[in-house]
Amino acid sequence: MPRVIVVVARDRTDLFEYFGSVFAGMQDIKVILDRRLSESGGNAQYSPGDPGRRERLDIYDELQDRGFVIIRLW
């Protein structure tokens, strides 16, 4: 099971290929393309004060700004 997931923005195939080659053969790291269709993730329902929404927006902002997000799993 991967311990680190690298999510790459769907319009940054250059980064996807780069990370894929850099981390090739490392079983603890998985590189994936962002497959969400919209910022809200489709059917997700969040209230304005929901901490899950704040975290999701932070990750979305980082993905849009940098083109990738690195998520460490415990």
Side-chain angles (χ1 to χ4, degrees), residues 12-64:
R12 295 299 308 268
T13 55
D14 58 324
L15 285 176
F16 180 74
E17 292 172 8
Y18 171 74
F19 286 127
S21 66
V22 167
F23 298 125
M26 296 183 176
Q27 295 178 2
D28 287 347
I29 302 174
K30 182 171 183 161
V31 180
I32 61 173
L33 276 174
D34 180 24
R35 299 182 304 186
R36 294 173 301 152
L37 297 177
S38 67
E39 177 180 334
S40 66
N43 297 332
Q45 297 290 324
Y46 294 104
S47 63
D50 185 359
R53 179 170 172 77
R54 183 67 249 160
E55 180 179 336
R56 183 178 204 125
L57 290 177
D58 288 344
I59 290 172
Y60 178 80
D61 292 342
E62 188 174 340
L63 182 62
Q64 192 165 3

